[in-house]
Amino acid sequence: MNPLAASHFPWLLLLRTRLERSWAHLWRSFASILAVLTLLLALSPQTAHASAPGSLLGKILVLHSYHPGFTWTREVTAGIMAAFREADPDADPFVEYLDAKRYGGPIHERLLADLFRHKFAGAGLQVVVTTDNAAFDFAVKHRAGIFPRAAIVFCGLNGYSDSTLAGMSNIAGVVEEADPLRTISLALSLHPDRRRVVVISDTTETGRAIADSVRQAKGRYRDRADIAIIQDVTMTELATAVERLGNNCLIILGAFNRDRQGRSFSYEEVLRFVHDRTKVPIYGLWTFQLGKGIVGGSLLSGQQQGEAAGRIALRIVKGELPESIGISHAVPPVLRFDYSELKRFGISHVKLPTGSEIVNEPNRPLHTYRRELAIAASAFLVLCGIIALLVIMLRQRTLLERRLRTSEQEYRQLVQNANSIILRFDTSGNITYLNEFAESFFGYPAIELVGKSVVGTITPERESTGRDLAAMIGGICENPDSYTHNVNENVMRNGERVWISWANKPLADERGNLREILSIGNDITHLKEAQEEILRLNVALEERVRERTAQLESSNRELESFCYSVSHDLRAPLRHINSYSRILLDEYLPLLDEQAQHFLQRLQAASHRMGQLIDDLLELSRVSRAEMECERVDLTELSRGVIEDLREGDDDRNVEVRITEGMTAWGDRRLLLLVLQNLIGNAWKYSSKREYAVIEVDVVRRNGREVFLVRDNGVGFDMAFADKLFGAFQRLHSPAEFEGTGIGLATVQRIVHRHGGDIWAEAEPDRGATFFFTLPPEQCSPAEMRTASPPEGT
């Protein structure tokens, strides 16, 4: 961007600066991504242990029920030590073994108690971690004499219930919950052709718990398979039973470490013994049985039990109370299977439950190094994403720069060729830029105005109206947001004053501080002159309207007086005509032939109609002149009175009248009575030829306003002539059909309009007519109501 463009168009410079900042920010973000990626690639798959201050040495005793070579004990030990060494790599707690699978009895227990009492006297143990039931029972029984202040944390505990810890305190732990029933269901689902399940268990505490749970649930499998339990047998008897199993059987190998003769065996020995004597699938309950002959099952993990107990022990060492930790049931069995056994029995991987794990699969590069491959693939994808992002950023930068150059050119052309005054001035009021149109308009070249104050050059200090323009320019410089638009006088070089409408916009620098004010102006001198001429004409027009209104009011008064006088003066000759024609008919009837009598009768009827017409004209004149007394009027009561009057004059009619209760409105009671007399009277008259006439007076709501109506089922009329309804002397039916003067509806319309309402009609020939009218809903001046829009349906 060239310096001239930057000085004339600061917003372009600001846009470019922000673009460069965004580019730099993106590069910094890219560098951060690369740094993180490098760190990820440099990380070793090994997990680093963070050493915690202090040592667990001398604070914790791990007491095992069985001997070190026992597989379950090895798994639990590995889990406990993993938890300890995650917190302290140098952790080396005390470890003791009761060897309860091979030795037992009161003497052995007493010897161990004396040994531990001597060995740990004064050791200050804080926690004793027991594995399985024998160690827990020993610790609870002898804790007062060996480690009185130590908390007990158990794991691998079978047969736990809410009453197990009754009366005990300072104890927490992890419950061992073997799941033989889930393993049975799982084995049957993988071998749908097998109809017999044999559960092998011993009489140890663990073995009894497994056997009891299976016995209680045997009925659940009655329709699927026969459940048999082999328990409390010798190894010879076990071999015989296993060898006799047919191809429709499954084996669930529970805890069998001691036969009926009291001999002890390891899990591996028993599993190998059974596996060598049968070809049926064998399922287990512990993870250490995998790889030694079982297909799999819902398996308890000794390592997970140990890790959970180790973490509880650490929490107690750090100060938590065992009672606040409680008993954990959060180490459920896992679904785990042996690849070789699955293959041996033709069990497809897809048949395994969701979440199952498979062990001992053959080593495959993709499987063996899947973690490293996943890291490499992730890194490759990240690099591809970064490269794509860079390409997109480069293309966007090129596109933005091209658009910036185009926008700069277009803006320069727009500003220079605009037919409006465009200028900028700084916060001191000094002009910094003006376009060519402004130079031509004011008659100054830019070189003579740039750097000079607006006031005293193109803006006078005071307007011809006396307004202080210098103060106004100062206000714009201080707070341009308060002067987004202003109109004021300006002066050209030749001294001529013009009126200009200005639109002002503040321009800020990169830090958001006010830098300049951009003003765009348009000459409105001719508009200003036209406005002044309009004001002058309006004043003259208002004066003429007042004069004409006064003349019109005078003419209306004279016309009303004339109408009243004419109507009044016509009554005397009408009375004479009516009287003399009546005398002729009464006294000279025998002397008159039939034609003369007919003429006299027509003369009397005509004089009667003219009298009625004069009365209606006088009524219409009074309606226009009478003062209105506005009050709340009960239209229901007035309607009933009108109907009663009509029935008295024509009691032979069969007319059903429906008048809605509670209809009220604001208005003049006398005038509203006249409205109802005319409308209901018309309904009575034009329904007279119906054998069964119906007249309805009701109120409905339209557009939020109350609309009153009078409806009949009479002769109706054609809506094509509806515009003649409310004109004086206008009739849609001949006098021979229905008598009348044609002034009633004109009177009704005038009354409704004086109240600020509207009136209209809807009808069909021979299907009746409905007249609608509105009245003020509340006490207000009629003039206000008259300006309101009529309801829907007018």
Side-chain angles (χ1 to χ4, degrees):
M1 182 184 297
N2 59 63
L4 178 60
S7 61
H8 286 181
F9 313 109
W11 70 275
L12 293 175
L13 178 61
L14 180 60
L15 178 60
R16 180 167 185 168
T17 302
R18 289 182 177 175
L19 179 62
E20 292 173 349
R21 285 187 174 183
S22 299
W23 180 251
H25 178 70
L26 286 172
W27 271 109
R28 285 196 296 270
S29 300
F30 173 58
S32 299
I33 293 172
L34 285 179
V36 172
L37 182 60
T38 303
L39 181 60
L40 287 174
L41 293 175
L43 285 177
S44 168
Q46 300 296 328
T47 302
H49 294 281
S51 296
S55 173
L56 300 176
L57 181 63
K59 297 180 180 179
I60 299 177
L61 165 64
V62 179
L63 183 61
H64 293 292
S65 294
Y66 311 126
H67 55 278
F70 197 64
T71 308
W72 170 261
T73 302
R74 288 201 305 269
E75 282 197 358
V76 175
T77 302
I80 293 173
M81 295 308 299
F84 287 174
R85 287 174 180 163
E86 184 178 352
D88 184 354
D90 298 323
D92 188 17
F94 295 104
V95 179
E96 297 291 345
Y97 300 90
L98 299 183
D99 202 4
K101 291 279 186 186
R102 297 185 294 191
Y103 302 99
I107 297 175
H108 180 69
E109 180 180 338
R110 186 169 61 254
L111 291 173
L112 286 176
D114 292 340
L115 173 64
F116 293 161
R117 188 179 300 109
H118 172 75
K119 188 172 183 178
F120 297 111
L125 293 176
Q126 295 185 15
V127 180
V128 176
V129 179
T130 68
T131 66
D132 298 288
N133 291 59
F136 175 76
D137 294 340
F138 180 89
V140 169
K141 183 176 180 180
H142 298 283
R143 69 188 301 186
I146 302 174
F147 23 78
R149 289 186 295 276
I152 296 177
V153 176
F154 63 80
C155 68
L157 191 63
N158 289 292
Y160 177 84
S161 66
D162 294 338
S163 62
T164 301
L165 303 181
M168 303 181 190
S169 61
N170 206 19
I171 298 176
V174 182
V175 177
E176 177 184 353
E177 295 176 328
D179 197 357
L181 302 182
R182 188 182 183 194
T183 298
I184 292 173
S185 300
L186 180 61
L188 288 172
S189 67
L190 295 178
H191 303 275
D193 58 328
R194 309 283 170 149
R195 291 292 180 268
R196 189 162 187 261
V197 178
V198 176
V199 180
I200 300 175
S201 188
D202 61 12
T203 56
T204 63
E205 193 162 3
T206 303
R208 288 197 305 272
I210 293 172
D212 291 344
S213 65
V214 173
R215 286 192 186 93
Q216 294 172 7
K218 286 178 66 174
R220 183 189 307 177
Y221 304 98
R222 183 180 299 110
D223 298 333
R224 175 65 181 85
D226 175 49
I227 308 295
I229 300 175
I230 298 177
Q231 188 180 20
D232 195 20
V233 296
T234 65
M235 291 297 285
T236 302
E237 293 169 341
L238 176 61
T240 301
V242 169
E243 289 171 353
R244 291 178 179 178
L245 294 178
N247 292 332
N248 67 333
C249 295
L250 294 170
I251 293 177
I252 308 298
L253 182 58
F256 195 93
N257 301 108
R258 186 185 304 156
D259 69 356
R260 185 155 51 88
Q261 295 175 343
R263 293 179 297 174
S264 296
F265 306 92
S266 68
Y267 279 103
E268 289 83 353
E269 290 173 336
V270 175
L271 179 55
R272 187 166 52 253
F273 182 85
V274 173
H275 187 269
D276 291 344
R277 285 163 176 75
T278 183
K279 294 182 180 181
V280 303
I282 303 172
Y283 286 81
L285 302 178
W286 289 276
T287 56
F288 58 75
Q289 295 172 315
L290 282 169
K292 299 179 178 62
I294 69 167
V295 178
S298 178
L299 311 179
L300 276 174
S301 170
Q303 181 156 348
Q304 291 182 354
Q305 286 267 324
E307 288 180 1
R311 292 191 184 97
I312 294 175
L314 290 173
R315 291 170 62 184
I316 294 174
V317 170
K318 293 176 181 178
E320 288 191 55
L321 295 176
E323 286 76 13
S324 66
I325 298 174
I327 308 303
S328 174
H329 297 262
V331 187
V334 295
L335 297 176
R336 198 168 290 175
F337 300 88
D338 189 330
Y339 175 84
S340 59
E341 293 296 317
L342 291 174
K343 185 176 180 181
R344 175 188 174 193
F345 292 103
I347 302 173
S348 173
H349 295 190
V350 298
K351 292 183 178 180
L352 301 180
T354 303
S356 298
E357 302 175 22
I358 299 176
V359 300
N360 299 326
E361 284 192 83
N363 287 334
R364 296 192 296 262
L366 185 61
H367 178 77
T368 304
Y369 301 103
R370 61 179 180 271
R371 183 173 181 272
E372 290 76 5
L373 289 173
I375 294 175
S378 301
F380 177 75
L381 292 176
V382 171
L383 287 174
C384 290
I386 292 173
I387 293 172
L389 179 62
L390 288 174
V391 172
I392 294 172
M393 289 167 56
L394 288 172
R395 293 185 62 182
Q396 287 182 341
R397 178 186 174 103
T398 302
L399 181 62
L400 286 174
E401 289 177 344
R402 186 182 302 120
R403 289 179 178 176
L404 184 62
R405 287 193 297 270
T406 303
S407 177
E408 178 185 344
Q409 295 171 359
E410 292 176 350
Y411 181 76
R412 183 186 297 108
Q413 293 174 358
L414 176 65
V415 171
Q416 292 298 340
N417 298 329
N419 290 325
S420 296
I421 303 166
I422 300 177
L423 61 87
R424 298 198 314 271
F425 52 92
D426 58 24
T427 54
S428 299
N430 297 322
I431 299 173
T432 59
Y433 170 79
L434 68 161
N435 66 344
E436 292 179 1
F437 184 87
E439 296 179 33
S440 175
F441 181 83
F442 288 111
Y444 291 97
I447 194 171
E448 293 187 21
L449 288 179
V450 173
K452 294 183 180 180
S453 175
V454 174
V455 180
T457 53
I458 61 174
T459 303
E461 293 189 358
R462 285 196 173 272
E463 207 169 59
S464 58
T465 60
R467 184 165 58 146
D468 189 347
L469 296 182
M472 184 195 72
I473 295 297
I476 294 175
C477 294
E478 292 179 1
N479 188 12
D481 290 331
S482 300
Y483 292 87
T484 56
H485 180 267
N486 63 285
V487 177
N488 58 270
E489 269 188 335
N490 288 87
V491 60
M492 297 192 289
R493 186 168 190 172
N494 60 8
E496 181 183 353
R497 293 205 171 196
V498 291
W499 286 91
I500 298 179
S501 174
W502 296 98
N504 305 309
K505 181 175 179 58
L507 301 177
D509 59 17
E510 297 177 2
R511 298 181 179 178
N513 299 321
L514 178 63
R515 179 181 178 183
E516 291 180 332
I517 294 92
L518 172 66
S519 292
I520 301 176
N522 289 285
D523 183 10
I524 60 168
T525 303
H526 296 299
L527 178 61
K528 195 77 173 177
E529 293 173 351
Q531 288 177 342
E532 292 176 355
E533 179 65 17
I534 290 172
L535 289 175
R536 186 184 62 78
L537 292 175
N538 282 341
V539 172
L541 181 60
E542 289 176 0
E543 182 61 30
R544 292 179 63 185
V545 168
R546 281 195 294 270
E547 293 175 359
R548 292 294 179 89
T549 301
Q551 293 174 3
L552 183 60
E553 290 177 351
S554 177
S555 297
N556 285 339
R557 286 194 297 270
E558 292 175 0
L559 180 60
E560 290 177 0
S561 177
F562 173 75
C563 289
Y564 182 78
S565 298
V566 169
S567 300
H568 186 271
D569 292 343
L570 285 175
R571 286 186 178 277
L574 277 177
R575 282 196 298 271
H576 287 87
I577 293 171
N578 191 44
S579 297
Y580 288 129
S581 61
R582 172 53 59 188
I583 292 172
L584 287 173
L585 285 173
D586 292 343
E587 298 182 6
Y588 298 95
L589 184 63
L591 302 177
L592 300 175
D593 58 17
E594 185 176 345
Q595 186 175 15
Q597 293 177 17
H598 173 69
F599 288 155
L600 284 174
Q601 289 172 350
R602 292 189 62 183
L603 180 63
Q604 271 208 324
S607 64
H608 176 74
R609 283 197 302 274
M610 188 169 184
Q612 184 63 45
L613 182 60
I614 291 172
D615 289 341
D616 290 345
L617 284 173
L618 286 174
E619 185 65 37
L620 181 61
S621 176
R622 282 194 293 270
V623 165
S624 302
R625 299 194 316 271
E627 291 292 332
M628 290 175 56
E629 296 182 3
C630 193
E631 61 179 318
R632 175 64 71 175
V633 179
D634 189 339
L635 299 183
T636 300
E637 178 187 357
L638 293 183
S639 299
R640 287 200 181 101
V642 172
I643 291 296
E644 289 176 3
D645 293 341
L646 290 171
R647 288 192 188 278
E648 289 178 2
D650 192 2
D651 57 0
D652 294 333
R653 289 279 306 277
N654 182 18
V655 181
E656 179 185 351
V657 180
R658 305 167 186 165
I659 301 175
T660 299
E661 295 291 337
M663 296 186 295
T664 62
W666 281 92
D668 184 284
R669 183 182 182 85
R670 180 180 59 82
L671 295 180
L672 294 183
L673 175 60
L674 189 58
V675 168
L676 293 174
Q677 286 174 339
N678 276 280
L679 294 180
I680 298 176
N682 281 350
W684 187 276
K685 176 170 59 177
Y686 290 113
S687 63
S688 61
K689 296 184 180 181
R690 299 294 187 198
E691 181 178 352
Y692 179 72
V694 178
I695 297 175
E696 183 179 358
V697 184
D698 195 6
V699 60
V700 295
R701 293 195 70 83
R702 292 188 180 179
N703 289 349
R705 292 185 60 186
E706 288 187 339
V707 179
F708 301 95
L709 63 90
V710 177
R711 180 182 290 119
D712 64 72
N713 65 339
V715 297
F717 57 85
D718 190 343
M719 287 296 290
F721 305 102
D723 57 336
K724 297 181 179 181
L725 279 176
F726 301 103
F729 309 111
Q730 298 290 333
R731 291 177 52 82
L732 301 184
H733 302 279
S734 66
E737 291 181 285
F738 301 99
E739 64 178 8
T741 62
I743 298 179
L745 288 179
T747 302
V748 170
Q749 185 186 56
R750 185 163 296 185
I751 294 172
V752 171
H753 283 181
R754 286 199 67 192
H755 281 78
D758 289 280
I759 183 168
W760 67 97
E762 296 176 1
E764 290 185 47
D766 202 38
R767 295 179 66 88
T770 304
F771 284 83
F772 301 89
F773 62 95
T774 62
L775 293 171
E778 56 187 18
Q779 191 168 9
C780 56
S781 67
E784 294 175 354
M785 292 300 301
R786 198 67 192 93
T787 58
S789 60
E792 180 182 357
T794 57

